[in-house]
Every structure is written in structure tokens, then in C-alpha cells.
Amino acid sequence: MPRPIRATISVSALAHNLELARRHAGAAKIWAVVKANAYGHGLARAARALGGADGYALLDIEEAVRLRSAGMTRPILLLEGFFDASDMPLVCRHGLTPVIHCMEQLAILEAAPPEGPIDVYLKVNSGMNRLGFTAASAPRAWQALHRHPRVRSITWMTHFADADGAEGVAGQLERFGAMTRALEAPHCLANSAALLRYPQTRGDWVRPGIMLYGCSPFPDQNAADLGLRPAMTLRSEIIGVQRLQPGERVGYGFDYEARTAITVGVVACGYGDGYPRHAPTGTPVLIAGRRASTAGRVSMDLLCVDISGIPDAGAGTPVTLWGEGLSADEVAAAAGTVSYQLLCALAARVPVSEIA
Ligand SMILES: *Cc1c(COP(=O)(O)O)cnc(C)c1O
């Protein structure tokens, strides 16, 4: 028997979440964001399940080529564009749409022009101050692309820093408008949070990621209330049981001490599987569908759960770490992080299977 940990990816949940994104997007087209191995769900698998999207957005040209080899013919957006002149033949041959966010990329386009026509996204920095042209440089970039003989189309793009937070999108939206108004082209702005909360950001294309995987981008609104279904469920089993007397402790550093007599279920899952090591005592877990919480430090291959309230639990009892019945958002919040990180961190050693 293999170690009992495994992850399932629900194809119908992915399709359902895409449908929800579609309803929010209205007439806008959808880039399904499949970067980071489709947020840990498997690139090819997620791309297939999200086959109703209008295109896919990711980072590595090599991943884009893999999608093309798997027969995907929809547009593919390279969120950080190309990194070197040597990337250009692949961009061209596979019909990829690079984001152009800096002068160096413009220089590459001039020095090593693609052999055929390409579509590009012109990214502007509307306040996040990560990637993108400033108000001062954007018009020059637009002109350079506009007169480039191989650039077939330009789409304006920006990214929001706080669509999921208190500040929202108003300031960035206004700056984006001011930067792009005079130069007519389609717009692409919204991540999941903007798509769900700010219909005024829809533009011509939207770029949802996390919502497609069934997690909420918002700290103050849960995925179920948004109508989302978790796509990934991480499950394992209890493989050992310890009965602790008051004063006895469990795990590395003896971090957790029993105040009363408790029963500890030892679960075959640890940070080597992608479970967050910094998840503190009290992080929620489902034991045969019932809620319990972790006790003591997460180790590489194991974590401990107080199962005192679940008398029939023992070796072989199924455990859900996150997914169906326990949102990764909730586990992430308990661990002081976001579901994005949990999903992306699913380790290669965890067997993954696809379910309907
Ligand atoms: C990751 C990413 C997205 C998707 O963001 P979510 O919060 O997962 O919806 C959209 N646009 C860009 C540029 C990104 O890097």
C-alpha cells in the first residue's frame, strides 16, 4: 500500500468556477490563469477542465509550448512576456501573446523582430509599482509597438494591488484611464477579486486565477458565499494514535502540552507534502468529516490532531487537510497565509488523481 496521502482535482468544480467567472465577466473574454502549474492543480489537466476559457495565461514559454503540444489552440498570454531575444522564435511559432512591460523588451522586439505577426499586451504601472510602463514612458512604448511592422494588435493591461482589500481599485483605475485614454486599444485589468467585486474593471479581457480553483481572493468573504467550489482536496489518514496524560507533550520542540487527558491522531501529512509548517496548534482539520484541530508542530511527514472529541477515530480514519468540506482559505488564514500559497505548494510526492 502506498502512503495514504493523496489529492483529488475535481474537473466539474473547475468548470463550475469558470462558469461563475463567465457570468461575472459579461461580454469580456476570459484568460484562465494557469501559472504555477495551474495553482498546483496540474497545467494540462486544469487547461483541459477549463477548456471553456477564451485563452490561458501563464509565465513560462516552455509551459505554453506544452499546452500547444497537448493540442491547445486558444490564445496564450505570457504574463511576464519574453525574457531574452532567443525566446522570440517560440513566441512566434506558437502564436503566443507576450506582455511587454519594460524598455528592455521593446529593445528585444526591435533587435530580434518576430518572423511573423504577433499580438502583444502593453502593461502599465498604475500604482502597484511592480511591472509596467509609467505614465511618462507608456505613450512612447505604445508608439514603438504601434509602428512595429510585426505587431498585429496591442491591448492595454494593468494589475491591481488591492482589489481584494480595503483600498479597492478606484485610484488605479483612474490612473490607468488617464494613461491609456488617448491611445485606443482593448483593455485587460481584472484579477479574480476585481472581477468579483468591481464590474467597472471588466474591460475586454479578464484574468481570473484563484477563483477558478474555488478559493476566495477576499479575506472577508468566503468561497462558498461567492458560489465557488473547491477544485483540490488534500486527504490522508490517521496512521497512529497516542493517549496523552495531563502534562505530556507532543511533537518537535515539545511545543504542545496536554492540560487534560487527550487522544492524539497522527496524520500522514507534513510540510514535505506541502502542508504549511507554520500552521499553529488549532489549525482546522476534518476527521471523517468532523472538525478537529492540529496540536503541536507540523513535521515533514506527519502532523498531530487532537481527536479527543471523536471517540471512534483511529488508525485508518480519513482526514481532509483542505478542499471539500474545509476551505483552503480557512486553513491558510489559520496559518497566516493565503490559499494561493497552499495550493501552489502541493508537493510533487503527493499522488494526484482527477475526479468528475
Ligand atoms: C496571478 C495573476 C492574475 C490572477 O490573479 P488571481 O488573484 O489569482 O485571480 C492576474 N493577473 C496577473 C498579472 C497575475 O500575475
Side-chain angles (χ1 to χ4, degrees):
M1 278 284 279
R3 193 164 162 262
I5 191 163
R6 65 225 177 267
T8 55
I9 307 295
S10 164
V11 171
S12 62
L14 289 166
H16 166 89
N17 297 333
L18 177 63
E19 197 42 52
L20 191 84
R22 181 72 73 194
R23 263 182 274 142
H24 284 274
K29 292 187 176 179
I30 297 179
W31 293 110
V33 179
V34 293
K35 64 187 178 189
N37 195 30
Y39 293 50
H41 293 64
L43 175 63
R45 175 187 304 118
R48 250 181 285 119
L50 297 168
D54 300 291
Y56 303 101
L58 44 66
L59 298 170
D60 277 306
I61 292 185
E62 188 213 306
E63 290 181 325
V65 171
R66 263 200 282 147
L67 285 187
R68 285 285 182 258
S69 310
M72 303 289 172
T73 56
R74 304 267 164 90
I76 296 179
L77 180 65
L78 299 172
L79 288 165
E80 294 174 358
F82 42 80
F83 301 95
D84 188 85
S86 62
D87 294 333
M88 205 59 75
L90 285 175
V91 168
C92 197
R93 183 179 329 146
H94 295 285
L96 310 180
T97 305
V99 167
I100 308 292
H101 62 79
C102 65
M103 287 300 177
E104 289 74 11
Q105 289 175 321
L106 281 180
I108 289 173
L109 264 186
E110 298 297 336
E115 283 170 14
I118 62 167
D119 301 311
V120 302
Y121 269 45
L122 176 52
K123 184 168 189 175
V124 298
N125 171 14
S126 57
M128 190 175 188
N129 287 311
R130 241 171 29 169
L131 302 180
F133 291 92
T134 60
S137 59
R140 264 183 298 140
W142 198 90
Q143 294 303 345
L145 292 170
H146 192 62
R147 42 161 211 270
H148 194 292
R150 296 284 154 75
V151 172
R152 178 170 50 198
S153 75
I154 305 172
T155 299
W156 285 114
M157 172 188 178
T158 196
H159 193 52
F160 295 118
D162 203 30
D164 54 319
E167 191 157 325
V169 299
Q172 283 191 262
L173 197 54
E174 187 175 318
R175 252 166 284 154
F176 177 79
M179 288 164 87
T180 59
R181 198 166 293 131
L183 301 162
E184 194 51 46
H187 290 178
C188 176
L189 299 87
N191 57 4
S192 298
L195 178 59
L196 290 165
R197 214 164 253 188
Y198 302 104
Q200 67 272 36
T201 64
R202 277 180 203 166
D204 300 279
W205 284 83
V206 294
R207 305 187 306 272
I210 194 71
M211 69 176 292
L212 301 179
Y213 306 100
C215 288
S216 171
F218 306 113
D220 58 355
Q221 195 174 10
N222 71 46
D225 286 349
L226 291 164
L228 298 167
R229 284 176 47 194
M232 177 196 295
T233 299
L234 180 62
R235 291 190 182 85
S236 189
E237 289 178 8
I238 293 175
I239 61 168
V241 174
Q242 301 291 339
R243 297 188 199 284
L244 270 58
Q245 293 307 310
E248 287 196 296
R249 298 169 297 174
V250 64
Y252 283 116
F254 292 128
D255 258 19
Y256 182 80
E257 182 175 321
R259 287 207 208 109
T260 57
I262 64 164
T263 305
V264 167
V266 183
V267 179
C269 175
Y271 63 80
D273 301 299
Y275 196 89
R277 182 179 178 277
H278 54 279
T281 289
T283 300
V285 173
L286 287 186
I287 305 290
R290 281 162 294 174
R291 290 177 75 99
S293 47
T294 62
R297 272 192 217 164
V298 173
S299 46
M300 185 186 285
D301 313 311
L302 297 168
L303 57 80
C304 296
V305 178
D306 183 346
I307 56 168
S308 308
I310 309 173
D312 52 337
T317 299
V319 178
T320 300
L321 286 316
W322 64 67
E324 199 70 55
L326 175 64
S327 175
D329 294 322
E330 200 186 329
V331 178
T337 184
V338 288
S339 55
Y340 298 73
Q341 192 183 8
L342 266 50
L343 302 179
C344 289
L346 185 74
R349 81 179 190 187
V350 177
V352 178
S353 55
E354 206 168 296
I355 58 169

